Amino acid sequence: MHDDNKYQKQHILKIQFFILLLFTILGQQKYMILCYGIVLLSVEILQHSRMFQNLKEIIKDLPRHHFLEYVNRYSLPEKMIQQAYQTAENGYVYIILSDTGSPASELISMFTKKQYNHVSIAFDENLQTMVSYNNGEKHFPPGLNFEKPSFFRKKEGASMIVYKLQTTPEQKRNMISKIEQINIEGSSYNTAGLLLKHSFQPNIMFCSQFVYCLLQYAGIAYFQKKTEYVTPMDFVELDYKRKLEFVYEKIL
């Protein structure tokens, strides 16, 4: 009975989230206030569980997101980009999977059924050049942003796993150049794509979509999947040729 009740709650949550995104996409903020009120009221009535609290947090953050246009530009420090270029000769990029406990991460886990629901890429072993698509920690607009391991600690027991992937200097420079281009052109976080599996603009992506596109761009993608369907754990679970080298796992 408990499992059935949990399944029903999750099903209702998915429907509400889908309706909210649909209205937002069609109306481009026009119906945001109405949708926000309806869904928030539904959440209050249905439950006060952690799952619904996460939904409330995500809804509150949605006005910062945009699914058709770029809202994030020049968020990456020039110093960080130059530091990334300086690592070109070290022969590796670093793939970081994290279990953060953020509301978005826990919502995504409901769909993926996986523990690790965020992926980032870095160009140095100390992760000082780590970037991904995220919500900007409410300091920057959602989209392509700089990251630190400390950003991932949203709950007790938050953790991260670091892998490295061999590259040539040219491949690393190509990836960094692509990041630099996105930083200039602009980006947005593909919240709608989590459900609709579609991007309305080239630089509107979610984290795993972004990392996979970078690997494709550099010619080192080691599995084949449509970009909008790539999940963070795919980088490990679809690594059939053992391209990744485990570096370490860490509780944050």
Side-chain angles (χ1 to χ4, degrees):
M1 181 64 71
H2 177 73
D3 289 341
D4 290 342
N5 190 36
K6 181 179 179 181
Y7 173 80
Q8 289 174 356
K9 292 176 185 176
Q10 291 181 343
H11 186 63
I12 292 170
L13 180 62
K14 290 178 183 179
I15 293 173
Q16 289 176 331
F17 192 56
F18 178 80
I19 291 173
L20 177 65
L21 285 175
L22 184 61
F23 271 110
T24 304
I25 292 164
L26 293 176
Q28 273 308 290
Q29 315 302 326
K30 183 178 179 181
Y31 300 106
M32 174 62 77
I33 296 176
L34 175 62
C35 291
Y36 174 78
I38 291 173
V39 177
L40 200 60
L41 179 61
S42 299
V43 169
E44 288 289 352
I45 292 172
L46 283 167
Q47 267 296 351
H48 291 281
S49 67
R50 181 174 179 82
M51 180 173 63
F52 286 100
Q53 291 299 321
N54 286 337
L55 178 61
K56 288 171 64 176
E57 291 299 317
I58 291 168
I59 294 169
K60 289 178 182 177
D61 195 50
L62 273 179
R64 299 174 58 247
H65 293 247
H66 207 295
F67 316 125
L68 300 179
E69 298 178 359
Y70 301 150
V71 297
N72 182 317
R73 286 182 175 85
Y74 301 107
S75 64
L76 300 183
E78 180 62 26
K79 181 179 179 181
M80 192 223 75
I81 294 174
Q82 294 308 314
Q83 187 177 0
Y85 276 119
Q86 291 169 12
T87 71
E89 302 294 332
N90 82 348
Y92 293 98
V93 293
Y94 298 83
I95 307 296
I96 304 97
L97 297 174
S98 53
D99 172 24
T100 67
S102 70
S105 175
E106 295 197 359
L107 177 67
I108 293 170
S109 72
M110 190 180 69
F111 294 93
T112 64
K113 310 299 183 185
K114 305 292 183 180
Q115 177 183 356
Y116 290 93
N117 290 290
H118 185 64
V119 63
S120 314
I121 189 167
F123 300 91
D124 68 296
E125 61 183 352
N126 295 321
L127 310 185
Q128 295 179 358
T129 56
M130 183 164 57
V131 296
S132 190
Y133 271 60
N134 56 46
N135 72 354
E137 291 288 304
K138 299 186 179 180
H139 297 295
F140 297 98
L144 176 62
N145 285 298
F146 171 66
E147 294 184 332
K148 296 181 179 180
S150 59
F151 293 173
F152 299 153
R153 193 179 187 277
K154 308 294 185 185
K155 66 174 183 179
E156 290 294 327
S159 60
M160 57 186 281
I161 304 179
V162 180
Y163 297 89
K164 61 182 181 180
L165 175 66
Q166 195 166 15
T167 65
T168 66
E170 182 181 6
Q171 288 168 335
K172 286 192 74 171
R173 291 191 188 99
N174 286 342
M175 282 187 277
I176 299 164
S177 176
K178 184 63 175 177
I179 289 172
E180 196 171 16
Q181 178 186 341
I182 295 172
N183 191 44
I184 295 170
E185 291 178 351
S187 62
S188 288
Y189 187 82
N190 193 17
T191 310
L194 296 174
L195 284 176
L196 302 181
K197 304 303 179 185
H198 178 73
S199 294
F200 293 94
Q201 294 279 4
N203 296 348
I204 298 180
M205 294 182 272
F206 45 80
C207 64
S208 51
Q209 189 179 2
F210 162 68
V211 175
Y212 184 73
C213 284
L214 271 189
L215 298 185
Q216 277 191 320
Y217 185 77
I220 54 175
Y222 49 88
F223 62 92
Q224 296 297 316
K225 197 170 185 180
K226 190 175 180 180
T227 60
E228 291 88 349
Y229 287 83
V230 176
T231 68
M233 282 303 297
D234 284 342
F235 291 93
V236 176
E237 294 177 345
L238 300 183
D239 182 21
Y240 300 132
K241 296 182 180 180
R242 297 294 185 266
K243 295 289 186 179
L244 294 183
E245 299 177 44
F246 175 80
V247 181
Y248 62 84
E249 183 173 10
K250 182 179 181 181
I251 301 297
L252 301 172

